[in-house]
Amino acid sequence: MANNNTSQIKINVQLDENRVPEKLSWAAVEGGVELEDAKAFMLSVWNSDEKSTKCIELWTKDMAVDDMKIFFHQTLLSMTETFQRATGDEKMSATMQDFCDYFAEKLELKK
């Protein structure tokens, strides 16, 4: 149960008979999201004891391939921005941004 010192983010995954994600939704009430549908999500959690990242990546079976390409591009951009804010490493952030631009160009995301 949440109190003033905690916050919850909930992810709901509705599966079909083959346990393939059919519907995704999420809520972050404190952030103003009551219940919002999604077609895909990626969650990465850092385990400092193991020095490893645990990941969950899910997408619905009706997620369009073109939308997945855009989702990946936007996720890479977001990771680049987060990396810059978290580390202050301008040189690597610029390199990551260059890759994001290359990624978008090769997938013809930017016209």
Side-chain angles (χ1 to χ4, degrees):
M1 180 145 184
N3 63 37
N4 291 340
N5 296 321
T6 65
S7 180
Q8 289 187 343
I9 299 171
K10 295 181 182 181
I11 299 169
N12 299 311
V13 181
Q14 189 175 59
L15 305 172
D16 69 8
E17 63 279 354
N18 296 314
R19 302 197 51 79
V20 174
E22 199 163 49
K23 184 176 180 182
L24 302 171
S25 59
W26 69 287
V29 176
E30 189 174 293
V33 179
E34 294 293 330
L35 189 62
E36 189 171 302
D37 287 338
K39 292 289 184 186
F41 82 87
M42 294 183 191
L43 174 67
S44 299
V45 180
W46 177 250
N47 182 314
S48 61
D49 292 336
E50 295 178 8
K51 301 284 188 222
S52 66
T53 303
K54 310 294 184 188
C55 299
I56 299 171
E57 299 98 0
L58 291 175
W59 57 93
T60 60
K61 58 187 178 183
D62 65 343
M63 174 83 170
V65 172
D66 286 344
D67 286 347
M68 182 61 86
K69 291 175 182 181
I70 295 167
F71 175 60
F72 262 81
H73 179 250
Q74 291 178 359
T75 299
L76 291 169
L77 286 170
S78 178
M79 290 173 64
T80 299
E81 293 168 8
T82 302
F83 180 83
Q84 197 287 320
R85 283 193 322 270
T87 66
D89 188 331
E90 297 288 339
K91 186 175 180 182
M92 185 51 71
S93 297
T95 300
M96 292 169 70
Q97 181 62 54
D98 288 345
F99 175 76
C100 290
D101 293 343
Y102 174 80
F103 186 90
E105 179 185 321
K106 289 300 180 184
L107 290 178
E108 298 179 349
L109 298 179
K110 293 183 179 182
K111 303 291 180 189

